[in-house]
Amino acid sequence: MPTISIRTSFKQALIGSTALLATVASPAWAEEAAKADASDIVVTAQRRSERLVDVPMSVVAVNAESVVKSGVVNIHDINRLAAGVQMNFAGCCTQPSVRGITTLTTGIGYENNVAIYVDGIYAPDNLSINGDMGAISSIEILKGPQGTLWGRNATGGAILMNSKAPSRVLTGKLELGVARFGETSESAYLSGPLSEGVRASISAYNRDSNGYYAQLVNNNTLGDHAARIRQT
């Protein structure tokens, strides 16, 4: 009996030690797996293609699959993808904020302190960036001052939005949407080869909404919509 008791205790201790070892080692394995996944992500945060793990700055990179799952269709939805990023509105103008850095002046012709690039082209106007993108390939959010690489108005950071390249095979997508405040939206994307070695793509969208502001007439009754949105 004593021998059996000693062996049983030793067996229980061995099982417990193995379980403890597995518990301690699991985070390390998970971290290594995360590093392996991150090593496959390629970004252009420093104006050249390189692995995300090699970029010495805070970068949030989101691929096309994650963009679709998050329901991101335009710049207004980017705050769903990264902490410390907000998309503020001032009438018809969009004011992005990264880590609290934004601008106090807004209006047609004014520029933000967070640089917006669409397919490598700088979009300075805070009105023209309101449109949808029919086929987003990836989004990179660079946090912190980026003036050295991305020019002026990048005090708070930079947001790089890239659309899908023309496809080798014929592909397309059509989306129809209905939302609150009488909003309807249509989006279409078509891409494919035109001839040997020549490919092209085209996308279009339309968005119409009554907005959530209503005008008050003289007798304090609701009149027409005061902030109707129409984008094409």
Side-chain angles (χ1 to χ4, degrees), residues 44-113:
T44 57
Q46 299 190 106
R47 289 192 174 275
R48 62 178 182 271
S49 299
E50 56 188 336
R51 300 185 308 166
L52 177 60
V53 293
D54 297 329
V55 179
M57 67 175 71
S58 178
V59 180
V60 177
V62 184
N63 58 19
E65 182 180 358
S66 298
V67 168
V68 172
K69 289 182 179 179
S70 301
V72 175
V73 296
N74 56 39
I75 193 172
H76 301 150
D77 303 326
I78 290 182
N79 56 331
R80 304 177 186 177
L81 303 176
V85 177
Q86 291 182 333
M87 292 298 161
N88 304 311
F89 300 93
C92 62
C93 302
T94 300
Q95 290 178 294
S97 172
V98 177
R99 290 178 173 174
I101 304 299
T102 183
T103 180
L104 297 178
T105 58
T106 187
I108 299 175
Y110 288 94
E111 301 180 13
N112 293 310
N113 285 334

Side-chain angles (χ1 to χ4, degrees), residues 22-189:
T23 302
V24 172
S26 293
W29 294 339
E31 183 178 356
E32 290 299 325
K35 289 181 179 179
D37 294 338
S39 64
D40 296 332
I41 301 176
V42 177
V43 298
T44 57
Q46 299 190 106
R47 289 192 174 275
R48 62 178 182 271
S49 299
E50 56 188 336
R51 300 185 308 166
L52 177 60
V53 293
D54 297 329
V55 179
M57 67 175 71
S58 178
V59 180
V60 177
V62 184
N63 58 19
E65 182 180 358
S66 298
V67 168
V68 172
K69 289 182 179 179
S70 301
V72 175
V73 296
N74 56 39
I75 193 172
H76 301 150
D77 303 326
I78 290 182
N79 56 331
R80 304 177 186 177
L81 303 176
V85 177
Q86 291 182 333
M87 292 298 161
N88 304 311
F89 300 93
C92 62
C93 302
T94 300
Q95 290 178 294
S97 172
V98 177
R99 290 178 173 174
I101 304 299
T102 183
T103 180
L104 297 178
T105 58
T106 187
I108 299 175
Y110 288 94
E111 301 180 13
N112 293 310
N113 285 334
V114 176
I116 307 297
Y117 282 80
V118 179
D119 292 332
I121 300 176
Y122 178 51
D125 185 14
N126 52 23
L127 177 61
S128 61
I129 59 178
N130 289 332
D132 290 9
M133 293 185 68
I136 300 178
S137 173
S138 64
I139 298 176
E140 299 176 27
I141 303 172
L142 319 182
K143 298 181 180 181
Q146 304 293 331
T148 302
L149 293 171
W150 297 100
R152 66 177 187 175
N153 300 323
T155 306
I159 299 176
L160 318 179
M161 304 178 66
N162 303 305
S163 57
K164 293 182 178 179
S167 175
R168 295 181 179 179
V169 296
L170 184 62
T171 181
K173 181 179 67 174
L174 174 64
E175 293 183 345
L176 305 175
V178 178
R180 295 182 301 170
F181 309 114
E183 179 176 319
T184 59
S185 61
E186 304 84 30
S187 176
Y189 169 74

